[in-house]
Amino acid sequence: MSEWTLGIIGGSGLYQLDALEDARWISVETPWGAPSDELLTGHIAGVKCVFLPRHGRGHRLGPSQLNFRANIDAMKRVGVTDLVSISAVGSLAEDLAPGHFAVVDQFIDRTFAREKSFFGDGLVAHVSMADPVCPRLSSYAADAARKAGATVQDGGTYLAMEGPQFSTRAESHMYRGWGAHVIGMTAMPEAKLAREAELPYALIGMVTDYDCWRENEAPVEVEAIIAQLSDNAARGRALVEYLVRSLPEKREVSPIDTVLDYALITDPSVQDPVLKAKLDAVAGRVLAI
């Protein structure tokens, strides 16, 4: 049996994985509330996989209503070692056309209505987000996307907006001026929370449309996005299967596995016992829970 347990969070259009063997949905309770849905567990080529539809089956939840902390805690709680996010995105770059995939390596967080940390009053921690994705996992994902037939851009900056409305033209031009390549509504605080949970994280953005910066085109509408989602999702499912089959049997240790070793700042004598208990899955390794 492989040493990996791969978590997959599926975005818009990707609500289950057909390639899973011995697949079953399981309910997971977390101290942070309910995750977006039950977790679909199973195996592909001897690798344990855990899948979560980010918006719930049937797309019940909007981006600002997602319980990101519960989603990441649930993944950690069932033993996930590495986490891949597959997300629908809009393009802010001419050469990232609808249907292309971008394996991003940076983020700009413009969200404002979401809980962004597992830590807080009574137990403070600061993790580095300078390099927010796992380069090893991202490389595997990029190779898998190409095998799935996608045109892939290695690297790029993801602008995370609050939503649920799409950008104004002024905002879209501003984000391009900032150097962002794709735009979406769900990568933050997901990537930050994955880092706090010591989960190596990679994000594959599946481009559905050009954002509204193209002055001579009509603004994006949901109908066109849904049409592209269906095509992208088929390649996204194939990507997951290729990715899992490409993982080496031995999982090399990642520096992200121990990022909390240097992140906790609150003296143990004054740590809040209630918050500490809630961190049993996320930070139990360093809190001796």
Side-chain angles (χ1 to χ4, degrees):
M1 183 63 68
S2 169
E3 297 177 353
W4 301 76
T5 297
L6 186 67
I8 306 106
I9 298 180
S12 299
L14 189 58
Y15 306 115
Q16 70 175 49
L17 291 179
D18 299 330
L20 283 179
E21 302 169 3
D22 303 318
R24 65 188 183 100
W25 292 94
I26 63 170
S27 179
V28 179
E29 295 182 359
T30 87
W32 314 95
S36 295
D37 207 322
E38 294 180 318
L39 305 183
L40 182 63
T41 66
H43 296 83
I44 299 175
V47 178
K48 183 177 179 181
C49 298
V50 182
F51 175 78
L52 174 67
R54 184 186 287 112
H55 298 278
R57 283 168 284 182
H59 206 114
R60 300 175 290 103
L61 302 169
S64 298
Q65 287 69 50
L66 297 177
N67 190 337
F68 291 94
R69 292 190 295 185
N71 288 349
I72 298 299
D73 179 282
M75 286 288 188
K76 185 77 174 184
R77 196 167 292 277
V78 299
V80 164
T81 61
D82 300 79
L83 186 60
V84 174
S85 170
I86 303 176
S87 301
V89 296
S91 174
L92 295 167
E94 189 66 49
D95 57 354
L96 272 172
H100 289 195
F101 285 16
V103 182
V104 305
D105 57 4
Q106 283 294 331
F107 300 95
I108 299 172
D109 188 359
R110 292 280 292 169
T111 65
F112 54 82
R114 308 173 187 189
E115 295 287 351
K116 298 192 178 187
S117 179
F118 290 109
F119 300 92
D121 292 348
L123 219 171
V124 178
H126 302 283
V127 298
S128 172
M129 289 297 294
D131 300 301
V133 303
C134 172
R136 171 193 62 182
L137 194 59
S138 295
S139 177
Y140 289 142
D143 289 344
R146 292 188 177 93
K147 289 176 181 176
T151 299
V152 181
Q153 174 174 300
D154 291 294
T157 297
Y158 178 122
L159 189 291
M161 63 181 295
E162 184 64 42
Q165 301 85 2
F166 296 130
S167 307
T168 67
R169 291 193 192 277
E171 289 168 334
S172 193
H173 285 297
M174 179 176 68
Y175 299 150
R176 277 170 50 80
W178 287 355
H181 300 90
V182 295
I183 183 167
M185 301 178 187
T186 56
M188 286 291 170
E190 185 177 272
K192 291 178 176 177
L193 294 167
R195 179 59 55 90
E196 288 188 344
E198 299 185 324
L199 287 174
Y201 179 88
L203 186 142
I204 302 96
M206 305 186 300
V207 178
T208 59
D209 61 278
Y210 284 110
D211 204 49
C212 61
W213 53 273
R214 287 176 134 202
E215 296 289 350
N216 296 325
E217 289 191 4
V220 60
E221 299 289 352
V222 170
E223 182 179 8
I225 290 177
I226 291 175
Q228 185 64 57
L229 278 175
S230 177
D231 187 44
N232 285 354
R235 282 198 296 272
R237 287 188 290 271
L239 180 160
V240 170
E241 186 169 358
Y242 282 118
L243 170 60
V244 175
R245 293 183 182 279
S246 72
L247 296 175
E249 185 170 342
K250 180 175 176 59
R251 180 188 179 273
E252 294 181 7
V253 173
S254 166
I256 299 168
D257 296 343
T258 54
V259 72
L260 291 180
D261 283 353
Y262 310 102
L264 300 179
I265 197 169
T266 304
D267 189 280
S269 66
V270 295
Q271 289 176 353
D272 177 13
V274 175
L275 179 54
K276 184 175 179 178
K278 293 175 71 174
L279 290 163
D280 63 327
V282 167
R285 184 187 67 80
V286 292
L287 293 173
I289 298 174

